[in-house]
Coordinates of all heavy atoms in Angstrom, one line a residue:
A19 N 41.7 -35.5 3.0 CA 40.6 -35.5 4.1 C 39.5 -34.5 3.8 O 38.3 -34.8 4.0 CB 41.3 -35.2 5.4
A20 N 39.9 -33.3 3.2 CA 38.9 -32.3 2.9 C 38.1 -32.8 1.8 O 36.9 -32.5 1.7 CB 39.6 -31.0 2.5
A21 N 38.7 -33.5 0.8 CA 37.9 -34.0 -0.3 C 36.9 -35.1 0.1 O 35.8 -35.2 -0.5 CB 38.9 -34.5 -1.4
T22 N 37.3 -35.9 1.1 CA 36.4 -37.0 1.5 C 35.5 -36.6 2.7 O 34.7 -37.4 3.1 CB 37.3 -38.2 1.9 OG1 38.1 -37.8 3.0 CG2 38.1 -38.7 0.8
A23 N 35.6 -35.3 3.2 CA 34.8 -34.9 4.3 C 33.3 -34.9 3.9 O 33.0 -34.5 2.7 CB 35.2 -33.5 4.8
P24 N 32.4 -35.2 4.7 CA 31.0 -35.2 4.3 C 30.5 -33.8 4.1 O 30.8 -32.9 4.9 CB 30.3 -35.9 5.5 CG 31.2 -35.7 6.7 CD 32.6 -35.7 6.1
K25 N 29.8 -33.6 3.0 CA 29.2 -32.3 2.6 C 27.8 -32.2 3.2 O 27.1 -33.2 3.3 CB 29.2 -32.1 1.1 CG 30.6 -32.1 0.5 CD 30.5 -32.0 -1.0 CE 31.9 -32.0 -1.7 NZ 31.8 -31.9 -3.1
P26 N 27.4 -31.0 3.5 CA 26.0 -30.9 4.0 C 25.0 -31.2 2.9 O 25.2 -30.8 1.7 CB 25.9 -29.4 4.4 CG 27.0 -28.7 3.6 CD 28.1 -29.7 3.5
P27 N 24.0 -32.0 3.2 CA 23.1 -32.4 2.1 C 22.3 -31.2 1.6 O 22.3 -30.1 2.2 CB 22.1 -33.3 2.8 CG 22.2 -33.0 4.3 CD 23.6 -32.5 4.5
D28 N 21.8 -31.3 0.3 CA 21.1 -30.2 -0.3 C 20.0 -29.7 0.5 O 19.7 -28.5 0.6 CB 20.7 -30.6 -1.7 CG 21.9 -31.0 -2.6 OD1 22.9 -30.4 -2.4 OD2 21.7 -31.8 -3.6
A29 N 19.3 -30.7 1.1 CA 18.1 -30.3 1.9 C 18.5 -29.4 3.1 O 17.8 -28.4 3.4 CB 17.4 -31.6 2.5
M30 N 19.7 -29.7 3.7 CA 20.1 -28.9 4.8 C 20.5 -27.5 4.4 O 20.2 -26.5 5.1 CB 21.3 -29.6 5.5 CG 21.7 -28.9 6.8 SD 20.4 -29.0 8.0 CE 20.4 -30.7 8.4
L31 N 21.1 -27.3 3.2 CA 21.4 -26.0 2.7 C 20.2 -25.2 2.4 O 20.2 -24.0 2.7 CB 22.3 -26.2 1.4 CG 23.7 -26.7 1.5 CD1 24.3 -27.0 0.2 CD2 24.5 -25.8 2.4
A32 N 19.2 -25.8 1.9 CA 17.9 -25.1 1.7 C 17.3 -24.6 3.0 O 16.7 -23.5 3.1 CB 16.9 -26.0 0.9
Y33 N 17.4 -25.5 4.0 CA 16.9 -25.1 5.3 C 17.7 -24.0 5.9 O 17.2 -23.0 6.5 CB 17.1 -26.4 6.2 CG 16.8 -26.1 7.7 CD1 15.5 -25.9 8.1 CD2 17.8 -26.1 8.6 CE1 15.2 -25.7 9.5 CE2 17.5 -25.9 10.0 CZ 16.2 -25.7 10.4 OH 15.9 -25.5 11.7
Y34 N 19.0 -24.0 5.7 CA 19.9 -22.9 6.2 C 19.5 -21.5 5.5 O 19.6 -20.5 6.1 CB 21.3 -23.2 6.0 CG 21.9 -24.2 6.9 CD1 23.0 -25.0 6.5 CD2 21.4 -24.5 8.1 CE1 23.6 -26.0 7.3 CE2 21.9 -25.5 8.9 CZ 23.0 -26.2 8.5 OH 23.5 -27.2 9.3
L35 N 19.1 -21.6 4.3 CA 18.7 -20.4 3.6 C 17.5 -19.8 4.2 O 17.4 -18.6 4.4 CB 18.3 -20.7 2.1 CG 17.8 -19.6 1.2 CD1 18.8 -18.4 1.1 CD2 17.4 -20.1 -0.2
D36 N 16.5 -20.6 4.6 CA 15.3 -20.1 5.3 C 15.7 -19.5 6.7 O 15.1 -18.5 7.1 CB 14.3 -21.2 5.4 CG 13.5 -21.4 4.1 OD1 13.8 -20.7 3.2 OD2 12.7 -22.3 4.1
I37 N 16.6 -20.2 7.4 CA 17.0 -19.7 8.7 C 17.7 -18.3 8.5 O 17.5 -17.4 9.3 CB 18.0 -20.6 9.3 CG1 17.3 -22.0 9.7 CG2 18.7 -20.0 10.6 CD1 16.2 -21.8 10.7
A38 N 18.5 -18.1 7.4 CA 19.1 -16.8 7.2 C 18.1 -15.7 6.9 O 18.2 -14.6 7.3 CB 20.1 -16.9 6.0
L39 N 17.0 -16.1 6.2 CA 15.9 -15.1 5.9 C 15.2 -14.8 7.2 O 14.8 -13.6 7.4 CB 15.0 -15.7 4.9 CG 15.5 -16.0 3.5 CD1 14.5 -16.6 2.6 CD2 16.0 -14.7 2.8
L40 N 15.0 -15.7 8.1 CA 14.4 -15.4 9.4 C 15.2 -14.5 10.2 O 14.7 -13.6 10.9 CB 14.1 -16.7 10.1 CG 12.9 -17.6 9.7 CD1 12.8 -18.9 10.5 CD2 11.6 -16.8 9.9
C41 N 16.5 -14.7 10.1 CA 17.5 -13.8 10.8 C 17.4 -12.4 10.3 O 17.5 -11.4 11.0 CB 18.9 -14.4 10.8 SG 19.2 -15.9 11.7
A42 N 17.2 -12.3 9.0 CA 17.1 -11.0 8.3 C 15.8 -10.3 8.8 O 15.9 -9.1 9.1 CB 17.1 -11.1 6.8
V43 N 14.7 -11.0 8.9 CA 13.5 -10.4 9.4 C 13.7 -10.0 10.9 O 13.2 -8.9 11.3 CB 12.3 -11.4 9.2 CG1 11.1 -10.9 9.9 CG2 12.0 -11.7 7.8
G44 N 14.3 -10.8 11.6 CA 14.6 -10.5 13.0 C 15.4 -9.2 13.2 O 15.2 -8.4 14.1
F45 N 16.4 -9.1 12.3 CA 17.2 -7.9 12.3 C 16.4 -6.6 12.1 O 16.5 -5.6 12.9 CB 18.3 -8.0 11.3 CG 19.1 -6.7 11.0 CD1 20.0 -6.3 11.9 CD2 18.8 -5.9 9.9 CE1 20.7 -5.1 11.7 CE2 19.5 -4.7 9.7 CZ 20.5 -4.3 10.6
F46 N 15.5 -6.6 11.1 CA 14.7 -5.5 10.8 C 13.7 -5.2 11.9 O 13.3 -4.1 12.3 CB 13.9 -5.6 9.5 CG 14.8 -5.4 8.3 CD1 15.3 -6.4 7.5 CD2 15.2 -4.1 7.9 CE1 16.1 -6.2 6.4 CE2 16.0 -3.9 6.8 CZ 16.4 -4.9 6.0
F47 N 13.2 -6.3 12.5 CA 12.3 -6.2 13.7 C 12.9 -5.5 14.8 O 12.4 -4.5 15.4 CB 11.8 -7.6 14.1 CG 11.1 -7.6 15.4 CD1 9.8 -7.1 15.6 CD2 11.7 -8.1 16.6 CE1 9.2 -7.1 16.8 CE2 11.1 -8.1 17.8 CZ 9.8 -7.6 17.9
L48 N 14.2 -5.8 15.1 CA 14.9 -5.2 16.2 C 15.2 -3.7 15.9 O 15.1 -2.8 16.8 CB 16.2 -5.9 16.5 CG 16.0 -7.3 17.2 CD1 17.4 -8.0 17.3 CD2 15.3 -7.2 18.5
V49 N 15.6 -3.4 14.7 CA 15.9 -2.1 14.3 C 14.6 -1.2 14.4 O 14.7 0.0 14.8 CB 16.5 -2.0 12.8 CG1 16.5 -0.6 12.3 CG2 17.8 -2.7 12.8
L50 N 13.5 -1.7 14.0 CA 12.2 -0.9 14.0 C 11.4 -1.1 15.3 O 10.3 -0.5 15.4 CB 11.4 -1.4 12.8 CG 12.0 -1.2 11.4 CD1 11.2 -1.9 10.3 CD2 12.2 0.3 11.1
L51 N 11.9 -1.8 16.2 CA 11.2 -2.1 17.5 C 10.9 -0.8 18.2 O 9.7 -0.7 18.8 CB 12.0 -3.0 18.4 CG 11.4 -3.4 19.7 CD1 10.1 -4.2 19.4 CD2 12.3 -4.3 20.5
P52 N 11.7 0.3 18.3 CA 11.3 1.5 19.0 C 10.0 2.1 18.5 O 9.2 2.6 19.2 CB 12.5 2.4 18.8 CG 13.7 1.5 18.7 CD 13.1 0.3 17.9
R53 N 9.9 2.1 17.2 CA 8.6 2.7 16.6 C 7.4 1.8 16.9 O 6.3 2.3 17.1 CB 8.8 2.8 15.1 CG 9.6 4.1 14.7 CD 9.8 4.2 13.2 NE 8.6 4.3 12.4 CZ 8.0 5.5 12.2 NH1 8.5 6.6 12.7 NH2 6.9 5.6 11.4

Side-chain angles (χ1 to χ4, degrees):
T22 58
K25 298 178 182 179
D28 296 332
M30 189 62 68
L31 290 175
Y33 173 74
Y34 288 154
L35 175 61
D36 281 357
I37 294 298
L39 294 177
L40 282 175
C41 290
V43 173
F45 170 77
F46 283 105
F47 168 73
L48 291 176
V49 170
L50 300 171
L51 184 59
R53 281 176 64 84

